[in-house]
Amino acid sequence: MSDLPRIELNKSVYDRFMNLSIEENISQLTYIWIDGTGETLRSKTRTHYEIPKSIEDLPIWNYDGSSTYQAEGSNSDVYLYPRAIYKDPFLQGNNKLVMCETYKYNKVPTDTNLRATCVDVMNKAADQHPWFGIEQEYAILDRDLHPFGWPKSGFPGPQGPYYCGVGANKVFGRDVVESHYKACLYSGIKICGTNAEVMPAQWEYQVGPCEGISMGDELWVSRYILHRVAEEFGVVISFDPKPIPGDWNGAGCHTNFSTKAMRDENGIVAIEEAIERFSKNHQRHIKAYDPKEGKDNARRLTGHHETSSINDFSAGVANRGCSIRIPRSVSEEKKGYLEDRRPSSNCDPYKVTEVIVRTVCLGE
Ligand code: ADP
Ligand code: MN
Ligand code: MN
Ligand code: MN
Ligand code: MN
């Protein structure tokens, strides 16, 4: 870190400008989209001379796709279609964050726009009211990409004391976590909890339950907010599913899922039917559960560190070494939801929720 230039500017000077009063009907809209990697987010901001009430009020926009791995320089315009709108926790006031879909010049979705097909699938299954809750794990890194709070040479003590830990020798970066939590609540994201994870500097937050397409929208925007909060503190967020090789836990996006039938009395029958369908589609799901069709998860789903092997499907009550876990409380109440533990921390939630609904709700 010592050889990296200083990047923090003077926040009190910044605040002076942020407190300037501007005309009341102006809104700054920050359009957010997924770039050609399928993993990283981009954003840019425009002025809108009214306060938008819904997504229909917002204009289509465009950007230079040749700079985001999404187009050739000679035909570089990619369109941004606004899809979901949230309060902006950074600029605050009338200002908004806008989650967008990306379309090529010929109005075809870009290769990494996986929302377009997800919406169709969610519409087909709308009568089953699919709910999701995703547990997003991540690591906080210094700007040199070394885990935050770790000794610069060598390693911290072995895993054990860090999960849900308290104390300056056990958890690193709680300011980031709490700021992100509040910012998500402010924005209208259904963040429902957070905890320190097994690897030091690793954390988790949960979003949900969210119905249908809103799961993907809210998780992506929550990731955007996390990157921006970390930027304010001069640290970096990693969603890599195995940021540190060796005896250190990887990072996942456990995806909790239910339909109305599963939540109703004796829904355990529907849960068991769903698990049967999952069991026949293991490889297909593994392909959808990280951006590299299973290659990222191969580093993480080893059968150790509270994971199941990438090669085998398994399910069990309260078993965290399974592909799918039925929570103890669900087994006791005979209704509720199941947990798919396979999706990686850098998964695209549009892809994950789409394949789950195709398999379980549409029987495809
Ligand atoms: P774990 O014990 O696996 O760490 P967490 O408490 O971290 O579980 O996360 C539980 C997740 O389950 C939350 O995201 C929550 O929104 C989600 N959830 C709870 N009930 C349902 C449900 N009926 N359908 C889908 N998801 C649900
Ligand atoms: Mn320009
Ligand atoms: Mn959890
Ligand atoms: Mn966890
Ligand atoms: Mn979990």
Side-chain angles (χ1 to χ4, degrees), residues 10 70 125 322:
N10 186 326
Q70 284 168 305
C322 283

Side-chain angles (χ1 to χ4, degrees), residues 192-252:
C192 61
T194 190
N195 58 270
E197 268 303 336
V198 173
M199 185 185 94
Q202 189 185 46
W203 296 85
E204 168 180 317
Y205 64 91
Q206 303 96 29
V207 178
C210 295
E211 185 160 336
I213 195 67
S214 69
M215 183 73 252
D217 291 339
E218 293 199 20
L219 194 73
W220 274 116
V221 175
S222 76
R223 287 175 177 173
Y224 177 83
I225 293 173
L226 183 56
H227 284 303
R228 288 282 310 270
V229 167
E231 183 186 313
E232 297 277 339
F233 286 108
V235 294
V236 174
I237 301 301
S238 169
F239 290 114
D240 190 89
K242 192 77 176 182
I244 310 295
D247 214 5
W248 303 98
N249 273 30

Side-chain angles (χ1 to χ4, degrees), residues 134-137 163 194-195 197 204-206 254 256 320 325 339 341:
I134 293 188
E135 302 166 50
Q136 175 70 64
E137 294 179 334
Y163 169 75
T194 190
N195 58 270
E197 268 303 336
E204 168 180 317
Y205 64 91
Q206 303 96 29
H254 296 171
N256 299 272
R320 289 170 194 265
R325 162 177 156 260
E339 177 192 40
R341 300 176 59 80

Side-chain angles (χ1 to χ4, degrees), residues 298-320:
R299 292 182 283 132
R300 162 182 169 253
L301 296 177
T302 56
H304 305 289
H305 305 109
E306 297 175 49
T307 69
S308 58
S309 160
I310 194 168
N311 300 312
D312 307 312
F313 180 86
S314 57
V317 174
N319 187 340
R320 289 170 194 265

Side-chain angles (χ1 to χ4, degrees), residues 27-309:
S27 174
Q28 286 162 285
L29 306 177
T30 296
Y31 280 35
I32 302 168
W33 69 97
I34 301 158
D35 71 13
T37 65
E39 285 187 67
T40 37
L41 289 163
R42 309 279 178 132
S43 69
K44 61 175 189 165
T45 304
R46 65 185 286 161
T47 307
H48 193 64
Y49 286 94
E50 64 183 35
I51 298 162
K53 284 178 193 63
S54 80
I55 210 72
E56 284 75 42
D57 299 336
L58 303 182
I60 292 170
W61 201 11
N62 61 64
Y63 63 96
D64 166 17
S66 72
S67 300
T68 60
Y69 322 115
Q70 284 168 305
E72 299 289 315
S74 57
N75 185 12
S76 64
D77 281 9
V78 175
Y79 293 104
L80 288 167
Y81 287 25
R83 292 300 192 224
I85 186 167
Y86 305 90
K87 286 166 71 183
D88 182 339
F90 305 101
L91 295 175
Q92 305 177 42
N94 298 326
N95 307 305
K96 309 290 179 192
L97 301 179
V98 182
M99 187 65 204
C100 298
E101 276 187 50
T102 52
Y103 283 83
K104 292 190 244 192
Y105 67 93
N106 55 4
K107 310 285 163 76
V108 171
T110 64
D111 294 347
T112 52
N113 175 1
L114 306 181
R115 189 185 188 279
T117 55
C118 187
V119 172
D120 293 340
V121 167
M122 292 304 169
N123 287 339
K124 279 189 203 153
D127 58 332
Q128 298 185 43
H129 297 282
W131 289 8
F132 302 92
I134 293 188
E135 302 166 50
Q136 175 70 64
E137 294 179 334
Y138 63 95
I140 302 177
L141 312 177
D142 258 332
R143 277 205 307 134
D144 62 3
L145 307 186
H146 193 77
F148 184 67
W150 286 34
K152 286 294 176 189
S153 51
F155 293 91
Q159 294 185 159
Y162 309 113
Y163 169 75
C164 297
V166 285
N169 58 340
K170 301 206 181 64
V171 293
F172 309 121
R174 198 189 292 277
D175 286 355
V176 174
V177 175
E178 294 189 341
S179 302
H180 171 255
Y181 199 152
K182 275 280 163 80
C184 285
L185 289 174
Y186 174 91
S187 294
I189 306 271
K190 280 200 199 128
I191 187 167
C192 61
T194 190
N195 58 270
E197 268 303 336
V198 173
M199 185 185 94
Q202 189 185 46
W203 296 85
E204 168 180 317
Y205 64 91
Q206 303 96 29
V207 178
C210 295
E211 185 160 336
I213 195 67
S214 69
M215 183 73 252
D217 291 339
E218 293 199 20
L219 194 73
W220 274 116
V221 175
S222 76
R223 287 175 177 173
Y224 177 83
I225 293 173
L226 183 56
H227 284 303
R228 288 282 310 270
V229 167
E231 183 186 313
E232 297 277 339
F233 286 108
V235 294
V236 174
I237 301 301
S238 169
F239 290 114
D240 190 89
K242 192 77 176 182
I244 310 295
D247 214 5
W248 303 98
N249 273 30
C253 256
H254 296 171
T255 302
N256 299 272
F257 169 66
S258 64
T259 59
K260 183 167 183 305
M262 297 179 192
R263 296 186 295 270
D264 285 348
E265 279 316 298
N266 211 30
I268 193 76
V269 176
I271 292 173
E272 277 160 9
E273 281 167 9
I275 290 173
E276 179 65 20
R277 289 187 172 183
F278 274 113
S279 74
K280 298 199 172 100
N281 288 280
H282 179 63
Q283 285 313 328
R284 174 187 179 201
H285 282 250
I286 288 294
K287 258 187 107 174
Y289 283 179
D290 76 52
K292 301 195 186 66
E293 303 198 324
K295 283 200 190 72
D296 276 339
N297 246 336
R299 292 182 283 132
R300 162 182 169 253
L301 296 177
T302 56
H304 305 289
H305 305 109
E306 297 175 49
T307 69
S308 58
S309 160

